[in-house]
Each structure stands twice: as C-alpha cells, then as structure tokens.
Amino acid sequence: MKMEAKVERLFNKVGTFFKGTDKLPWCDSDIVAGCENDVAEAEKGSSDEIRRECIMKLSWALVHSSRPENVQRGIAMLEASLVGNNSPLQIRENMYLLAVGYYRSGDYSRSRQLVGRCLEIAPDWGQALNLKSAIEERITKDGVIGVGIAVTAVGLVAGGIAAALSRKK
C-alpha cells in the first residue's frame, strides 16, 4: 500500500472518531415543513387519531433534524405528549424519540436513561439497542477526548513551571 493511501486511511479513522458514526437517520427541513403542514391540515377537522399520528410524525422529524432548535421543539412536544398517555406502546415510542432528541442535543445521560426504560419494556427492540450503542460509543469518545484535554493541560502547566524554574537558576 502506498504511503499516501495509508495516511488517508489514518486521517479517515481519526475523523470518524471525532465526528462519530451513529446510524440514526437525519431529517431535512423539507420533511419537517411537510409534517408541519400535515399537522395544520389535521387540526382543521381530522379525527383525534389522525391528529395524533401527524403530531407523532412531526415529533419524529424534529428530533431527527440537524437543526438544534427543531430538536428542542421535538423534545418539548414529546414531553407534553407523555402527560396523560396510557398506551404502553405509545409511551415506549415517545420515550425512544425523547432519547433520540436528548442524544442529538448532547444530553447523553438523559438519553441513556430513557433508552434504558425503553429496553425494560422491550428488551430486544433493535432501534433502542442501536441507540444505546451509539450513546455508549459517544460517552466513551467524549471521555477519551476529555482525558486528552486534561493530560495536555497538565503537560502545559508542568512545562510552564519547569521553564519558569529553569529561568530562575
């Protein structure tokens, strides 16, 4: 293998480490806008079931959005929809989407807690297992990066002290 190819592979691996490779889908603004239109249409006289379905689709689109303000809107909608909801399936779905939203917003501990509750209800649920794996991977990466930053800071302080002491002598 040529040296250029080896270097490129190394940079790709390092880049993947820092940006992450979760397999959660992303949603663009066109899909969000379409779901918002569906909710608006459903509000004009559709049944409660159709309205709830449209709101659920919009919540899904929002928490999968690349725009942080959309993710926050999705989280708020899902938290509101949990109040008074007695359907175990709907609660599980909402908790999963909340976990996705918290993951996207960087609150990995809350996301892990919610996905854990989903897995208590459905231990073999593939989507929840994938999300749990992505959360654990992200927490590990953040820990490694944090340790690297701390070690670098300690090294800089120690180097500064050593330089200052050597100048005094």
Side-chain angles (χ1 to χ4, degrees), residues 7-149:
V7 170
E8 184 176 342
R9 268 189 40 204
L10 174 66
F11 280 120
N12 286 340
K13 286 181 181 181
V14 170
T16 299
F17 177 82
F18 284 107
K19 71 179 177 185
T21 57
D22 70 61
K23 294 174 179 52
L24 298 174
W26 289 95
C27 194
D28 64 23
S29 57
D30 292 342
I31 294 172
V32 171
C35 291
E36 287 172 333
N37 288 338
D38 291 346
V39 169
E41 288 295 317
E43 294 291 332
K44 293 180 181 174
S46 297
S47 68
D48 286 343
E49 184 178 337
I50 291 175
R51 234 184 337 264
R52 275 193 301 273
E53 186 178 311
C54 289
I55 290 170
M56 192 67 173
K57 286 179 184 177
L58 176 58
S59 299
W60 183 95
L62 290 169
V63 297
H64 286 89
S65 173
S66 58
R67 299 180 65 185
E69 61 273 12
N70 284 347
V71 174
Q72 292 305 316
R73 275 183 52 214
I75 289 171
M77 287 176 67
L78 289 161
E79 286 178 341
S81 70
L82 281 174
V83 176
N85 193 337
N86 295 325
S87 165
L89 178 62
Q90 194 68 40
I91 291 170
R92 182 192 78 171
E93 292 288 328
N94 285 10
M95 282 194 307
Y96 170 77
L97 290 176
L98 269 172
V100 170
Y102 282 115
Y103 174 80
R104 291 282 195 226
S105 66
D107 189 346
Y108 305 121
S109 62
R110 181 78 174 123
S111 181
R112 182 170 45 184
Q113 176 190 25
L114 288 164
V115 82
R117 288 178 58 196
C118 291
L119 290 169
E120 288 172 8
I121 296 168
D124 296 329
W125 190 15
Q127 284 180 303
L129 290 168
N130 287 338
L131 178 57
K132 181 181 179 188
S133 175
I135 294 165
E136 298 299 333
E137 183 179 306
R138 188 63 200 193
I139 289 171
T140 300
K141 285 179 184 178
D142 284 358
V144 168
I145 291 168
V147 168
I149 291 169

